[in-house]
Amino acid sequence: MAKPVKRRSVADKRASQTKGTSKPDVRIFMSYSHLDAAAQVKLNRHLAPWRRDGVTVWYDESIEPGNALSTEIGQELRRAHIFVALFSPAYLDSHYCWDIEYKRAMSRRARGLMRVVAVVVKPCGWKQTRASGFKLLPKDGIPPESWSSSDAAYVNVAQGIGEVIQAVRRELIAKPTTPARATAKPTQKLKPRPTAPKAMIARSKKASVGPATKVGKSPPRGRKALTKP
């Protein structure tokens, strides 16, 4: 009976195509509201040069049918180096996007495990959120529709994300890799033989010699020893 073929996700297929490259693979988790799917598609197109350069962009459409959403999203969040959030009124209003995904990403950022990049794709009140203290993309957090060309805005976003990708790669290259130590079998030490107490040794020697006897002087040679009648 033939074994079932395990399906690979889009992200895994792209990662396998760049496996032979010397540059370390960088993973991006893209968080967005489904109401802003068009913005996600457009940004992903502008990131195409980076995807060909060994960068994996993951988003929830990469989840295979039948897989648990929360489980796979949690796994990808832990694997990602960069978290890209597409800010919009729908994103800020989404409990899952803002209170779960973005909150988890900021927690990992606080522990130095992830970079977080916020991209304003539609005018929204991001200045009234905790993201106001960070640098947003496009430049100055101006949404693409306020630019003379929306493509120019997305190019600016892709360039900004590219700078973060390069910084992550420098960190991955500089990070020392400690080789796994060979676990040698511990040598079994021979236990020393128990030694008997000194008193016992003295008694055993005395028993082996027998009772002490006085030995008389031997008679000179040629004479017979005098014996009592």
Side-chain angles (χ1 to χ4, degrees), residues 31-38 59-61 69 88 90-91 94 97:
S31 174
Y32 69 102
S33 168
H34 287 179
L35 297 176
D36 303 316
Y59 46 95
D60 58 3
E61 286 185 7
L69 288 172
S88 70
Y91 190 92
S94 170
C97 292

Side-chain angles (χ1 to χ4, degrees), residues 30 39-47 84 86 154 157 161:
M30 191 174 293
Q40 179 269 325
V41 171
K42 194 160 189 176
L43 177 56
N44 205 16
R45 286 174 181 168
H46 281 272
L47 291 174
V84 176
L86 306 189
Y154 281 102
V157 172
I161 295 175

